[in-house]
Amino acid sequence: MAITIYDVAREANVSMATVSRVVNGNQNVKPTTRKKVLDCIERLGYRPNAVARGLASKKTTTIGVIVPDISKNFYSELSRGIADVATMYEYNIILSNSDERTAREVELIEDHLGKQVDGLIFMSDSISDEVRAEMATANVPIVLAGTLDVEEQLATVNIDFEEAAYVAVSKLIENGHQRIVFVSGPFTKDINRISKRNGYVRALEDVGLVVDESLIVEVENTYDNAYEEWQQIRELAGKPTAIFAGSDIIAVGLLNGIRDEGLSVPENYELICFEHSILARVVRPQLTSIVVPLYDLGAVSMRLLTKLMNGEEVEQQQVILPFRLEERNSVK
Amino acid sequence: MAITIYDVAREANVSMATVSRVVNGNQNVKPTTRKKVLDCIERLGYRPNAVARGLASKKTTTIGVIVPDISKNFYSELSRGIADVATMYEYNIILSNSDERTAREVELIEDHLGKQVDGLIFMSDSISDEVRAEMATANVPIVLAGTLDVEEQLATVNIDFEEAAYVAVSKLIENGHQRIVFVSGPFTKDINRISKRNGYVRALEDVGLVVDESLIVEVENTYDNAYEEWQQIRELAGKPTAIFAGSDIIAVGLLNGIRDEGLSVPENYELICFEHSILARVVRPQLTSIVVPLYDLGAVSMRLLTKLMNGEEVEQQQVILPFRLEERNSVK
DNA sequence: CTGAAAGCGCTAACAC
DNA sequence: GTGTTAGCGCTTTCAG
């Protein structure tokens, strides 16, 4: 049996209320008794039971984080940002992987709410109606991190993905390209189907170029798939001369596909991608890419959540962070 | 105010004990009353309070995971293995980053124990005395994942890192090399200072080669640092002809250092490394490397922890998983 | 098969 | 400043 607040109280000849005050840093305790209690706590090795505290106070100082797959760089970097700010505000994190399966997402939200988290940070490819309904039953604030809410009802933290795509594609257009392939990750992701795609289309239309749907190619977001798909992409009619890739990993797959047939980047194809993880820097040529501030996306999401949990007035629930284009050697 | 078990009981005209039985799948409930209760639960949208349950039952179905840095591939992959098995056994995970700082590690263990986790999985570069002392106060099982315990007292899951290094270096020796540089990550990590180093030394000594300490180089485990360090390494006396790198990321840094001065792998230097993450596959030449089964390390750790939490008899507390050498193109 | 009742360890009024 | 006393929402004997 572990030491309880009651044991400490008896040992120190005070009431449990006083021990509670000392443990919680309440100032209404005489210094001498505070010291006496602290000594007993030390001596007995008392460790406050957060579960009991949670039940009594109705706050667990724990938040839930639901992520598609923590082993993917995108989410692990973002999570680190969340974690650091959570630590700063003394919250713990319950972390779960959803694999972007709606049923699992609903289950996890339910599960986390059952654990009485004080708030929730959610990431996914898109927000299904079921998830939206489940979120509506929550009595704690929820923030979407790096995740679009097409209905713009929920609190979110993102970059302007459409604008980023626009900037990337415009760069290629400036360099004289007219036939630019957009190799996108799955269109099940709103960010791909809507944001990046719209940015691509808008960039072309703004300079009077015709959008050729055959130049929009959807691939899995994996190295191997992108590598293989290159065989199809190179055969596209009208000889594309530049590529806008939806992620580092896709870009690297294409890059190696291109090089393995004896062609090169940027001589034969110029290439710009999204994310700028370490992958973009280790390959040669290094990849010109949109830098997504993953860590900051997480950090700001958590900061927003703390405000919401404190009931603070938040002017803008949809936060947009800046991005930039990192110019390396995959474009001339 | 949220719906409680008491509300459901009143609505269903049964006692809260019966509702509890239904919720917990206890068989001693008549099917008709079970259905009646289930209906009320559904209708009221009752969601069991895991905190109250935890206090009453003294089990939280939550485990703690303390990791140096979740944004590093090594740990995020390992964590995914832990998470999947945790899900299988219906445990949640509280995840915290320690940055390998002892004081922080101690604080986190204390914190997690306060949250009443049912078990703990711990990862670090080495187990300091303070951490060992803190762990000794725990009344729940602890497993070290991918982390050495030089005193062999704690439950651990690893591969035989020394043997893996031995195999890697022996491969280079077989290929005719006599002057092999070992570019290691920080020696603050037991795995580097002890295991990999010993494997390197033993491989050389087994074939009668002299160990030249100047060929053992310690670098930070980052791409940039390895890239820069290449400038020193290339100047080493006696012209080394092969490299054994402690990780993918170090190997990639060296590889680019080598190539940027117009030399090539494997022609001028043969190279073998550890880990085999995606990095080893995207660079050219692809890297021959020891494959560390990160996901499995995590999965098996969690499985071991479940046994320990159930009080099952565990024959061997130190589990060693197999590894293999993946042969690619950085050696001839 | 079901109900009553005693806690689990702590917080939070409310007294004094 | 400090103590008393209700709960927080649930599990778990123990009766019946």
Side-chain angles (χ1 to χ4, degrees):
Chain A
M1 193 81 282
I3 307 295
T4 73
I5 199 171
Y6 202 77
D7 298 320
V8 177
R10 182 158 24 73
E11 184 78 6
N13 279 310
V14 296
S15 71
M16 55 189 297
T18 297
V19 178
S20 176
R21 288 188 186 98
V22 171
V23 168
N24 292 296
N26 187 316
Q27 287 309 304
N28 293 73
V29 181
K30 188 162 55 172
T32 54
T33 83
R34 173 188 303 285
K35 173 146 185 5
K36 185 172 60 176
V37 171
L38 249 17
D39 283 349
C40 290
I41 287 177
E42 174 73 19
R43 182 146 33 86
L44 298 180
Y46 168 66
R47 179 184 291 142
N49 181 325
V51 172
R53 183 184 298 201
L55 184 59
S57 70
K58 297 182 168 303
K59 303 163 97 290
T60 54
T61 61
T62 299
I63 65 142
V65 174
I66 296 175
V67 83
D69 182 355
I70 193 64
S71 71
K72 289 190 184 154
N73 178 71
F74 189 97
Y75 298 111
S76 67
E77 268 197 55
L78 214 149
S79 297
R80 186 65 217 263
I82 295 173
D84 284 355
V85 175
T87 298
M88 208 172 294
Y89 288 87
E90 304 195 281
Y91 281 96
N92 283 112
I93 287 175
I94 295 183
L95 192 284
S96 302
N97 301 89
S98 71
D99 289 318
E100 294 177 325
R101 288 170 37 229
T102 295
R104 180 80 184 128
E105 290 175 339
V106 169
E107 199 175 291
L108 284 175
I109 295 171
E110 182 74 14
D111 183 28
H112 283 212
L113 293 176
K115 291 268 175 168
Q116 311 302 118
V117 294
D118 294 337
L120 199 54
I121 294 183
F122 188 84
M123 290 161 249
S124 185
D125 52 356
S126 70
I127 306 299
S128 66
D129 291 342
E130 295 92 320
V131 166
R132 203 176 288 280
E134 183 66 31
M135 285 180 171
T137 73
N139 47 345
V140 298
I142 299 177
V143 172
L144 305 187
T147 298
L148 246 49
D149 171 23
V150 292
E151 301 195 3
E152 300 186 345
Q153 294 304 303
L154 302 162
T156 57
V157 179
N158 283 300
I159 64 166
D160 186 338
F161 288 99
E162 175 179 332
E163 185 62 20
Y166 181 90
V167 167
V169 175
S170 294
K171 174 76 187 174
L172 292 171
I173 293 172
E174 279 168 31
N175 281 17
H177 297 281
Q178 304 222 337
R179 293 190 58 77
I180 301 167
V181 194
F182 170 30
V183 184
S184 172
F187 282 150
T188 48
K189 290 183 97 76
D190 287 343
I191 282 179
N192 297 327
R193 193 183 73 256
I194 301 174
S195 305
K196 294 182 190 171
R197 190 184 198 290
N198 284 354
Y200 168 81
V201 168
R202 184 158 61 82
L204 294 178
E205 289 178 343
D206 271 9
V207 295
L209 288 171
V210 177
V211 175
D212 177 350
E213 289 290 338
S214 76
L215 294 186
I216 299 179
V217 182
E218 185 183 359
V219 305
E220 276 175 46
N221 193 37
T222 64
Y223 171 77
D224 291 323
N225 193 251
Y227 182 85
E228 284 161 23
E229 284 294 327
W230 171 248
Q231 295 307 320
Q232 319 305 321
I233 295 168
R234 57 179 299 222
E235 302 298 344
L236 289 175
K239 303 219 167 297
T241 58
I243 303 169
F244 167 50
S247 73
D248 280 356
I249 192 83
I250 288 173
V252 170
L254 297 174
L255 174 65
N256 281 335
I258 291 168
R259 293 170 66 189
D260 283 358
E261 61 169 318
L263 295 176
S264 81
V265 172
E267 284 70 21
N268 301 285
Y269 300 94
E270 290 192 51
L271 175 60
I272 295 189
C273 61
F274 243 90
E275 190 167 329
H276 200 68
S277 68
I278 182 73
L279 281 179
R281 297 178 52 222
V282 304
V283 295
R284 295 307 163 87
Q286 293 180 60
L287 304 176
T288 290
S289 61
I290 296 291
V291 179
V292 181
L294 297 170
Y295 181 93
D296 296 344
L297 242 26
V300 172
S301 297
M302 183 63 210
R303 180 65 185 102
L304 174 59
L305 187 63
T306 63
K307 289 181 184 167
L308 263 19
M309 291 188 296
N310 284 334
E312 291 175 31
E313 209 49 60
V314 174
E315 59 299 337
Q316 182 61 4
Q317 295 231 336
Q318 278 77 37
V319 179
I320 298 294
L321 263 37
F323 65 87
R324 67 172 216 280
L325 179 68
E326 173 80 16
E327 306 206 28
R328 299 276 176 153
N329 311 314
S330 63
V331 299
K332 290 176 187 164
Chain B
M1 192 81 280
I3 307 294
T4 73
I5 199 171
Y6 202 77
D7 299 319
V8 177
R10 183 158 23 74
E11 185 78 6
N13 279 311
V14 296
S15 70
M16 55 189 296
T18 297
V19 178
S20 177
R21 289 189 186 97
V22 170
V23 169
N24 293 294
N26 187 316
Q27 286 310 303
N28 293 75
V29 181
K30 188 163 55 174
T32 53
T33 84
R34 172 188 306 283
K35 173 147 186 5
K36 185 172 60 178
V37 171
L38 250 16
D39 284 348
C40 291
I41 287 177
E42 174 74 18
R43 182 146 33 86
L44 298 179
Y46 168 66
R47 179 184 291 142
N49 181 325
V51 172
R53 185 184 299 205
L55 183 60
S57 69
K58 298 183 167 302
K59 304 166 95 287
T60 54
T61 62
T62 298
I63 64 141
V65 174
I66 296 174
V67 83
D69 182 355
I70 193 64
S71 71
K72 289 190 184 152
N73 178 70
F74 189 95
Y75 298 110
S76 66
E77 267 196 54
L78 214 150
S79 296
R80 184 51 142 100
I82 294 173
D84 284 354
V85 175
T87 298
M88 207 173 296
Y89 287 88
E90 304 195 281
Y91 281 96
N92 283 112
I93 287 175
I94 295 183
L95 193 282
S96 302
N97 300 89
S98 71
D99 289 318
E100 294 177 328
R101 289 172 34 231
T102 295
R104 180 80 183 127
E105 289 175 339
V106 169
E107 199 175 291
L108 284 175
I109 295 171
E110 183 74 12
D111 183 27
H112 283 213
L113 293 176
K115 292 268 176 167
Q116 311 302 116
V117 294
D118 294 336
L120 198 55
I121 294 183
F122 189 84
M123 289 161 251
S124 185
D125 51 355
S126 70
I127 306 299
S128 66
D129 291 342
E130 295 92 320
V131 167
R132 203 176 288 280
E134 183 65 31
M135 285 181 172
T137 73
N139 48 344
V140 296
I142 299 177
V143 173
L144 305 187
T147 298
L148 247 48
D149 171 23
V150 292
E151 301 196 2
E152 299 185 347
Q153 295 303 304
L154 302 161
T156 57
V157 179
N158 283 301
I159 65 165
D160 185 338
F161 288 99
E162 176 179 333
E163 185 62 21
Y166 181 89
V167 166
V169 175
S170 294
K171 175 75 187 175
L172 292 171
I173 294 172
E174 277 167 32
N175 281 17
H177 297 282
Q178 304 222 338
R179 292 191 58 76
I180 302 167
V181 194
F182 170 30
V183 184
S184 172
F187 282 151
T188 48
K189 288 183 97 74
D190 287 343
I191 281 179
N192 296 328
R193 191 183 77 256
I194 302 174
S195 305
K196 293 182 191 171
R197 190 183 198 292
N198 285 353
Y200 168 81
V201 168
R202 185 159 60 81
L204 293 178
E205 290 179 342
D206 271 9
V207 295
L209 288 172
V210 176
V211 175
D212 177 349
E213 290 289 338
S214 76
L215 294 187
I216 299 179
V217 182
E218 185 183 359
V219 305
E220 275 176 45
N221 193 38
T222 65
Y223 171 77
D224 291 324
N225 193 250
Y227 183 84
E228 284 161 22
E229 284 293 327
W230 171 247
Q231 295 307 320
Q232 318 304 320
I233 293 168
R234 57 177 300 221
E235 302 298 344
L236 289 175
K239 302 216 169 297
T241 58
I243 302 168
F244 167 49
S247 73
D248 280 356
I249 192 84
I250 289 173
V252 170
L254 297 173
L255 174 66
N256 281 336
I258 290 168
R259 292 171 64 187
D260 282 359
E261 62 168 320
L263 295 175
S264 81
V265 172
E267 284 70 22
N268 301 285
Y269 299 94
E270 290 192 52
L271 174 58
I272 295 188
C273 63
F274 244 88
E275 192 167 327
H276 200 68
S277 68
I278 183 73
L279 281 179
R281 297 178 53 221
V282 303
V283 295
R284 296 306 163 88
Q286 292 180 59
L287 304 176
T288 290
S289 63
I290 296 292
V291 179
V292 181
L294 296 169
Y295 181 93
D296 296 344
L297 242 29
V300 171
S301 296
M302 183 64 210
R303 180 65 185 102
L304 174 58
L305 187 62
T306 61
K307 288 181 185 168
L308 262 20
M309 291 189 295
N310 284 334
E312 290 176 32
E313 208 50 59
V314 174
E315 59 301 336
Q316 182 60 6
Q317 295 230 336
Q318 278 78 38
V319 179
I320 298 295
L321 262 37
F323 64 86
R324 67 171 216 280
L325 178 68
E326 174 79 16
E327 306 207 28
R328 298 277 176 153
N329 310 315
S330 63
V331 299
K332 290 176 187 164

